[in-house]
Amino acid sequence: MLIYTLCMLAVIGFSVFYLFFYRGWRRERQLQQPFPTYWREILQSRVPVYDRLPPELRRQLEQHIQLFLAEKSFYGCDGFEVDDNVRLTIAGHACLLIVARSFSDFDEVSSILVYPDAYHVREIESDGIVVSESNQIRSGEASSHGQVVLAWAQCEEGAVNPAGQHNVILHEFAHQLDYLDGTADGAPPLSGKQARHWQETMTRAYENLRHSLHHHRKPWLDPYGATEPAEFFAVLTEAFFQQPDHLKAEQPEVYEVLRGFYRLDPVTLTPVEAPVRH
């Protein structure tokens, strides 16, 4: 029993050391490295908003990208070759979500799998009695185990159309932020007044979207957002960064809630002060 207790204390001690000292030290060393010029050239062409960011936020984005590329593993699937163009396109859009937040939001992300195009997934479901199997075609997915899967053709589509409705990278990494509290339920970890405001605003907007679709009215958001709250948050995130003027005009309160969470105003590209917790 004593040996077991000592072993557990050693494990806990090592974990604390890694999380609070070694990882911080390693990141500081990584950020001392110069940001390669050709990386900037790729970002200018693949992440158009990069050039429009004010200097402070552009530098913050570069630092997040440096850490992202140093810590996350990329894997090509079905023969796809992952090069710097792929890595920087994905890292640039993913880190745009946290450009005004802490990089620690992506601590749990460990690997990114990249397919050349939309891929097939065999889905098995059971209601306790009947087991059914379906073959689904996907362009991306995220998991609570820190893995993100992306289809490169769809990533490119979002990169060359920065004002379009869809961006699979933003979508799947929004799910990763949703997972920060352990479950993808459409509400990232918040507390106090901010959490209450989020719940009230998003519930009302979600029901409003579903009501519009039910009555065959033109929805203010991609209908896929009405699938479930987790998808609502991910689709809203796409709209917030890709079509902020439209979202602000259609749903100003939703826009303000997202503005508070992301600590960024994408219309003006200025940081927003973090809300005080109560």
Side-chain angles (χ1 to χ4, degrees), residues 30-44 50 58-69 88 91-92 95:
Q30 183 65 42
L31 294 178
Q32 289 173 5
Q33 303 299 314
F35 196 83
T37 300
Y38 82 94
W39 283 13
R40 291 195 175 99
E41 294 170 354
I42 293 175
L43 290 172
Q44 286 166 348
Y50 168 80
R58 192 182 309 135
R59 177 58 182 154
Q60 181 78 350
L61 180 64
E62 290 179 352
Q63 290 184 335
H64 283 354
I65 289 170
Q66 280 182 282
L67 296 179
F68 192 98
L69 295 182
L88 281 157
C95 291

Side-chain angles (χ1 to χ4, degrees), residues 52-107:
R52 297 192 291 112
L53 290 172
E56 180 184 349
L57 283 180
R58 192 182 309 135
R59 177 58 182 154
Q60 181 78 350
L61 180 64
E62 290 179 352
Q63 290 184 335
H64 283 354
I65 289 170
Q66 280 182 282
L67 296 179
F68 192 98
L69 295 182
E71 297 183 6
K72 317 306 178 188
S73 299
F74 286 77
Y75 302 96
C77 304
D78 284 354
F80 184 73
E81 182 179 348
V82 176
D83 57 17
D84 283 345
N85 184 58
V86 173
R87 292 186 186 92
L88 281 157
T89 300
I90 294 172
H93 284 92
C95 291
L96 184 61
L97 297 183
I98 58 169
V99 66
R101 295 178 57 88
S102 169
F103 183 75
S104 62
D105 284 346
F106 283 160
D107 278 354

Side-chain angles (χ1 to χ4, degrees), residues 151-163:
W152 176 243
Q154 282 66 40
C155 292
E156 278 200 303
E157 184 180 330
V160 300
N161 189 16

Side-chain angles (χ1 to χ4, degrees), residues 216-264:
H216 307 289
R217 301 194 193 111
K218 183 180 179 180
W220 53 271
L221 187 71
D222 179 356
Y224 188 61
T227 308
E228 58 179 82
E231 297 301 342
F232 184 61
F233 171 57
V235 172
L236 273 178
T237 294
E238 292 179 84
F240 183 70
F241 283 94
Q242 300 267 115
Q243 300 176 321
D245 291 290
H246 169 74
L247 181 61
K248 186 175 183 178
E250 292 289 333
Q251 297 285 319
E253 193 170 2
V254 169
Y255 184 86
E256 284 303 310
V257 168
L258 289 170
R259 187 172 169 270
F261 172 70
Y262 283 112
R263 302 173 192 170
L264 178 75

Side-chain angles (χ1 to χ4, degrees), residues 68 72-77 90 106-115 119 121 138 140-150 168-169 171-177 179:
F68 192 98
K72 317 306 178 188
S73 299
F74 286 77
Y75 302 96
C77 304
I90 294 172
F106 283 160
D107 278 354
E108 299 305 314
V109 177
S110 57
S111 58
I112 297 94
L113 282 65
V114 189
Y115 283 85
Y119 54 94
V121 174
R138 296 181 182 173
E141 56 190 302
S143 82
S144 58
H145 304 297
Q147 186 180 82
V148 176
V149 186
L150 297 167
V168 67
I169 306 171
H171 186 103
E172 300 306 335
F173 279 92
H175 281 315
Q176 287 298 326
L177 296 177
Y179 275 125

